[in-house]
Amino acid sequence: MARGGSKGVPGKNLRSIGGVSLVGRAIRAARAAEKVSVVYVSTDDAAIALEATLHGARIIERPAALSGDTASSEAGWLHAIPLVREDLPDLNTLVFLQCTSPFITGHDIDGCLAEMTDRETDCAISVVKDHSFLWRLDAHGRGVGINHNEREQRKRRQDLPQQYCESGAIYCVQLAPFLETGQRFCGSVALYPVDHPPIEIDSLQDFALCSQIAQAGERSEIPRERLAAVKAIVMDFDGVHTDNLVSTDQNGIESVRTSRGDGMGIAALRASGRYEMMILSKERNPVVLKRAEKLQLEVHHSVDDKVAALESWLAARDLGWDDLLYVGNDVNDRGAMEHSGLSACPSDSHPSILRLADWILPLPGGKGALRSMSDILMAAATS
């Protein structure tokens, strides 16, 4: 569910974290979950509908009566169910995601669904472990401990009773009890602990904090084991190593901009000895060769058929497509990305590539995208 009206932060669901809108992040997480068949977005907003379609969701038009501040989430869910059942008549399980929790992963969704099945419960929610000392006010307005006795010797946090706080991210329900009660907590409840930051975005300060987390490195929606399986990295040049802009002087001499930070990231990957690496470009331009020489990377340029070129390159190294991470940004990269075991793109890539890519890097091309990729890959390789 993604309403267009947000009083605290206007246009909240379309604002970006790590280069991807909140609604886009939720959709991508759902699409990455193995146990999710189809992703729907219920919205009253045309811009959100367009963004949701870009990331691969089907749209349910949410009526005005269910779009105000007082409308419950459950009311929107109940409205959507008959429409979903037209596509999925055997529907028996639902997953509801909150766009305001930006670090949901497909692994988390699958885990929450599995917990509901394993515990044989009516519903399940994502939670985070909580070690807080909780207080309430008594009839005289004085503080009284809830999960501790304030009149006894202070306990260590780890000795408190085990407790959990809702993360606000994932709600799973069995359809029958949900329809009977109309409530997300429609019976017995399974708890699924997640380790993503327990932040629900309600303010610009929350956005700023989450943006810092997303760009800090070592965090990705791609499972670590999938990142750790990468053996080869092939990158397009324009729009990946560069910001996709070119300066041309009066003599027709072209120049491009690249990032020193990206260069440091490539150097770290090369020094690790874990990866075969190459730049693969459609353009024939001396600047590609010079940048590759600077980075000590193999380069193939003036290549129209990138799939055929990669077939030969991988075979010569006794590697397969499943070993390859391909980083592209535009439509001429589509074939290579579709074949690769893992595909990535900078956050400012062409819309069709944003939808296709397994991994949207949190920064634009030529402005740190490859450095963030390097940091995350290196963290996965050493964890």
Side-chain angles (χ1 to χ4, degrees), residues 86-270:
E86 291 178 6
D87 297 331
L88 304 170
D90 296 327
L91 181 71
N92 55 34
T93 305
L94 299 169
V95 179
F96 303 112
L97 304 179
Q98 302 274 82
C99 295
T100 49
S101 295
F103 298 113
I104 305 169
T105 68
H107 176 77
D108 290 335
I109 297 168
D110 284 333
C112 202
L113 284 166
E115 192 71 11
M116 182 171 66
T117 300
D118 294 344
R119 301 291 180 186
E120 298 181 341
T121 59
D122 299 305
C123 54
I125 60 170
S126 59
V127 295
V128 292
K129 291 182 179 179
D130 185 270
H131 302 287
S132 302
F133 289 94
L134 302 177
W135 294 79
R136 64 175 177 83
L137 295 177
D138 66 12
H140 303 288
R142 298 166 182 161
V144 178
I146 295 176
N147 62 339
H148 62 102
N149 188 334
E150 75 282 1
R151 298 180 183 276
E152 296 179 355
Q153 177 64 36
R154 183 76 158 185
K155 292 183 177 181
R156 299 181 304 168
R157 288 184 181 273
Q158 58 266 39
D159 293 330
L160 290 174
Q162 193 171 47
Q163 62 190 30
Y164 300 90
C165 176
E166 285 186 42
S167 76
I170 307 168
Y171 298 87
C172 304
V173 298
Q174 303 287 3
L175 182 60
F178 175 68
L179 289 176
E180 182 178 345
T181 64
Q183 302 296 326
R184 70 186 74 188
F185 301 114
C186 51
S188 52
V189 184
L191 304 182
Y192 181 73
V194 294
D195 64 359
H196 59 238
I199 304 172
E200 293 186 76
I201 293 182
D202 290 313
S203 68
L204 292 176
Q205 289 80 6
D206 294 335
F207 267 105
L209 175 58
C210 288
S211 293
Q212 289 295 316
I213 293 172
Q215 294 178 17
E218 301 189 12
R219 174 168 292 278
S220 168
E221 70 272 23
I222 307 300
R224 283 181 178 265
E225 59 270 19
R226 192 174 180 191
L227 295 172
V230 172
K231 297 178 182 177
I233 303 169
V234 175
M235 300 153 282
D236 188 19
F237 186 72
D238 291 321
V240 175
H241 282 268
T242 79
D243 61 5
N244 217 23
L245 298 175
V246 60
S247 298
T248 309
D249 68 14
Q250 67 272 20
N251 299 313
I253 304 299
E254 294 185 350
S255 61
V256 299
R257 295 201 310 174
T258 58
S259 163
R260 291 189 184 277
D262 284 347
M264 291 288 287
I266 295 297
L269 292 171
R270 189 184 64 250

Side-chain angles (χ1 to χ4, degrees), residues 194-353:
V194 294
D195 64 359
H196 59 238
I199 304 172
E200 293 186 76
I201 293 182
D202 290 313
S203 68
L204 292 176
Q205 289 80 6
D206 294 335
F207 267 105
L209 175 58
C210 288
S211 293
Q212 289 295 316
I213 293 172
Q215 294 178 17
E218 301 189 12
R219 174 168 292 278
S220 168
E221 70 272 23
I222 307 300
R224 283 181 178 265
E225 59 270 19
R226 192 174 180 191
L227 295 172
V230 172
K231 297 178 182 177
I233 303 169
V234 175
M235 300 153 282
D236 188 19
F237 186 72
D238 291 321
V240 175
H241 282 268
T242 79
D243 61 5
N244 217 23
L245 298 175
V246 60
S247 298
T248 309
D249 68 14
Q250 67 272 20
N251 299 313
I253 304 299
E254 294 185 350
S255 61
V256 299
R257 295 201 310 174
T258 58
S259 163
R260 291 189 184 277
D262 284 347
M264 291 288 287
I266 295 297
L269 292 171
R270 189 184 64 250
S272 75
R274 293 181 57 88
Y275 308 101
E276 298 281 353
M277 293 196 291
M278 176 179 67
I279 293 175
L280 182 63
S281 176
K282 183 177 181 179
E283 297 297 322
R284 184 174 185 84
N285 191 323
V287 73
V288 182
L289 300 178
K290 288 296 184 182
R291 183 59 176 167
E293 181 181 350
K294 173 78 172 179
L295 297 175
Q296 301 177 49
L297 291 180
E298 180 181 355
V299 59
H300 293 193
H301 66 154
S302 192
V303 176
D304 289 322
D305 190 343
K306 292 189 174 184
V307 173
L310 285 169
E311 287 273 13
S312 300
W313 186 81
L314 289 168
R317 289 153 182 79
D318 198 26
L319 296 172
W321 284 106
D322 288 345
D323 301 314
L324 176 63
L325 164 59
Y326 184 89
V327 189
N329 78 302
D330 216 326
V331 293
N332 61 313
D333 296 306
R334 175 179 288 275
M337 295 177 75
E338 289 175 336
H339 280 74
S340 299
L342 182 63
S343 62
C345 71
S347 63
D348 59 342
S349 298
H350 188 275
S352 65
I353 297 302

Side-chain angles (χ1 to χ4, degrees), residues 14 23-24 27 41 43 47-59:
L14 290 172
V23 67
I27 293 166
V41 170
T43 185
I48 290 176
L50 185 63
E51 176 75 358
T53 301
L54 168 67
H55 290 283
R58 300 181 187 181
I59 305 303

Side-chain angles (χ1 to χ4, degrees), residues 12-49:
K12 177 168 63 177
N13 287 317
L14 290 172
R15 291 179 181 249
S16 293
I17 297 291
V20 185
S21 65
L22 289 184
V23 67
R25 294 180 75 93
I27 293 166
R28 292 177 62 82
R31 290 181 61 206
E34 295 181 1
K35 298 178 184 295
V36 173
S37 300
V38 187
V39 182
Y40 294 84
V41 170
S42 170
T43 185
D44 61 326
D45 187 275
I48 290 176

